[in-house]
Amino acid sequence: MKFDIPKVQQSYGTEEVARFGLTVGIGQDPTDLRQLSYVGALADDVRALPAIVNVLGHPGFWLGDPATGVDALRLVHGEQGFTIHQPIPPNARISGKTRVTGLVDKGTGKGALLYLEKEIVNVASGVKLATCRSTIFLRGDGGFGGPSGPVKKANSLPETPPDHVFETATRPEQALYYRWNADPNPLHLDPRVAAKAGFERPILHGLCTFGCAAHALLAVVCNYDAMQFGAMDGRFTATVYPGETLRTEIWDDGSFRTRVLERDVIAIGNGLFRRRES
């Protein structure tokens, strides 16, 4: 809880905004002007996909530091979410400060939950732009004598069929592109590393899948108007292989999930979207 994760300052602009949008499937229809705004193709209208805040001000793999006491080889990214406080500018200098907000001990042999928050601040104005949330499942670190709660409650999806669906066809080389969004983990790049981890080939970054879901919500719920995008949260429930098709299923109450069509598995479950309050 007291481990100090260094603050990260970062400048970004059209190139970074465009790269992020392209790596989560925006621009697959190169005639859709609404999409082109988020991939830097329109000089007079450059916008940032709100989910870019997940990769801005990233502190790197700090859990790999032996001083944390964490078994870094056995951790899993369990949940992700973010809240937009102010519209994300298409270019800015920001600072990102990540901190541990909670630890839950599930018991010996059952692992632990690590809760994180990252605040993104516009350096020039001092305005807080976004708060990002993550849950890391520490599979090898239960039984340290910590509290057994509180555990974050997952959103319950409606039992009715979804009101909307949005499909994203991922590309076989998508992880090779997405790595430039501050995540060069070889699990997503090197088939030898993936095989040692028990996968048939490199898997897609969880935050890439999450970004594809964010694109779906932006398109379906917000009609590509980022000013309406308030918050989203979801739970990672299955891996995705680059080249598979993602179908994000959305309900009118803001609930959503993302399904891998080829294998009929849920990659992101218990999702919840909220509009930004003006």
Side-chain angles (χ1 to χ4, degrees), residues 108-208:
T108 303
K110 297 180 180 179
L113 298 175
L114 173 71
Y115 294 112
L116 299 170
E117 278 192 1
K118 179 182 68 176
E119 289 192 347
I120 302 294
V121 174
N122 188 320
V123 172
S125 65
V127 172
K128 183 167 68 172
L129 298 175
T131 301
C132 302
R133 297 172 290 277
S134 302
T135 303
I136 309 297
F137 182 30
L138 308 177
R139 295 183 296 166
D141 296 293
F144 61 88
S148 58
V151 175
K152 179 182 176 182
K153 185 178 179 180
N155 178 51
S156 296
L157 300 183
E159 296 182 0
T160 57
D163 298 296
H164 315 275
V165 297
F166 186 94
E167 292 186 6
T168 301
T170 68
R171 297 177 60 88
E173 74 278 19
Q174 192 150 343
L176 303 179
Y177 289 125
Y178 189 85
R179 64 171 167 161
W180 299 115
N181 294 314
D183 194 344
N185 186 336
L187 177 65
H188 308 292
L189 313 173
D190 189 332
R192 297 167 298 182
V193 173
K196 289 180 180 178
F199 298 104
E200 61 184 69
R201 60 186 189 274
I203 60 175
L204 196 62
H205 302 71
L207 283 183
C208 183

Side-chain angles (χ1 to χ4, degrees), residues 11-85:
S11 295
Y12 71 93
T14 302
E15 181 177 343
E16 290 77 16
V17 165
R19 180 173 62 226
F20 183 78
L22 289 167
T23 57
V24 297
I26 301 184
Q28 289 187 356
D29 180 355
T31 66
D32 187 345
L33 292 177
R34 302 171 304 167
Q35 294 189 43
L36 295 182
S37 295
Y38 292 93
V39 294
L42 306 179
D44 60 341
D45 186 11
V46 180
R47 306 183 189 186
L49 179 66
I52 196 174
V53 297
N54 286 319
V55 301
L56 293 178
H58 182 57
F61 189 47
W62 63 275
L63 280 167
D65 186 337
T68 65
V70 168
D71 182 349
L73 295 177
R74 299 187 62 193
L75 62 81
V76 175
H77 193 169
E79 297 171 314
Q80 184 68 27
F82 65 92
T83 298
I84 301 298
H85 305 297

